[in-house]
Amino acid sequence: MKIKQEELTKKIEEQDYLQDLETIKYSEITKTKLKKIATKMIGESVQAFKHNSLIQTQLAISGRRPMTFALESNIINLPFANYKKISNFCNNEDEYEVNIYFETISEYVNVSHFRIDILGSSDKIVADPDKYSDLLVKAIEEKIEVIRNYQKPESKTKAKKTK
């Protein structure tokens, strides 16, 4: 799937894209549950691409260290929330390949509380959804581990007081 930057930003601004949100508790996470959810998220992405639509599908995990994982279709690695910046990187004449970006949102992922990685192009995901479901499960498991082990950096004011 290809799209012009102007059309993409208009769709995001008007929220003209498929949206889904699934919420589970941290205690409910199992490999089987993650596989089911990832398969659903990738399936929704494939359906969006087949209808020339954009998508934002999310998995929110509640618990002691809450986290949200999202798949968003875009032409650049920016979340939908920053769609106005897309024009800084792309022009209005060219059509760009739509990719799926995997986003991790948690105050325990890094100091910016956000991480974005490319999962794959729309064409590749449509061609092999099972492969990308497996990749998504692996990516979610890796980020859960990062969040589970994250140590917040000491604040500078706190560090100065202890000296």
Side-chain angles (χ1 to χ4, degrees), residues 45-62:
S45 300
V46 168
Q47 288 306 309
F49 293 142
K50 285 182 176 179
H51 293 95
N52 284 324
S53 278
L54 301 177
I55 186 157
Q56 177 190 63
T57 180
Q58 300 177 316
L59 167 62
I61 300 175
S62 61

Side-chain angles (χ1 to χ4, degrees), residues 66-128:
M67 57 196 91
T68 300
F69 301 105
L71 293 182
E72 287 185 350
S73 52
N74 208 329
I75 58 177
I76 190 168
N77 63 340
L78 284 173
F80 281 4
N82 295 346
Y83 76 93
K84 289 182 180 178
K85 294 180 182 179
I86 295 170
S87 63
N88 295 337
F89 304 97
C90 304
N91 64 54
N92 287 332
E93 290 80 43
D94 296 327
E95 282 195 329
Y96 296 91
E97 179 70 34
V98 175
N99 297 307
I100 284 287
Y101 291 92
F102 170 65
E103 300 171 2
T104 305
I105 304 114
S106 173
E107 65 180 278
Y108 302 98
V109 72
N110 56 33
V111 292
S112 69
H113 306 172
F114 182 79
R115 168 83 191 197
I116 188 168
D117 300 285
I118 189 167
L119 188 65
S121 73
S122 56
D123 292 342
K124 288 181 180 177
I125 291 171
V126 168
D128 195 352

Side-chain angles (χ1 to χ4, degrees), residues 4 15 17 25 29 36 47 49 55 61 72-73 81 90 94 114 129 135 138 141 148 151-152 155 160:
K4 290 188 174 190
Q15 294 188 344
Y17 51 87
K25 294 178 183 171
I29 296 173
K36 182 180 175 188
Q47 288 306 309
F49 293 142
I55 186 157
I61 300 175
E72 287 185 350
S73 52
C90 304
D94 296 327
F114 182 79
L135 288 172
K138 186 176 180 212
E141 288 174 334
R148 185 182 296 142
Q151 300 288 320
K152 283 189 175 182
S155 68
K160 287 179 182 177

Side-chain angles (χ1 to χ4, degrees), residues 25-43:
K25 294 178 183 171
Y26 184 80
S27 60
E28 297 173 345
I29 296 173
T30 63
K31 181 92 171 175
T32 305
K33 182 91 168 179
L34 282 182
K35 176 66 176 166
K36 182 180 175 188
I37 292 169
T39 300
K40 179 183 175 208
M41 292 171 81
I42 293 296

Side-chain angles (χ1 to χ4, degrees), residues 6-23:
E6 196 171 36
E7 183 183 352
L8 175 96
T9 53
K10 183 180 179 196
K11 283 179 179 265
I12 296 171
E13 186 172 341
E14 294 174 355
Q15 294 188 344
D16 179 15
Y17 51 87
L18 300 175
Q19 299 178 59
D20 190 29
L21 169 65
E22 179 138 354
T23 304

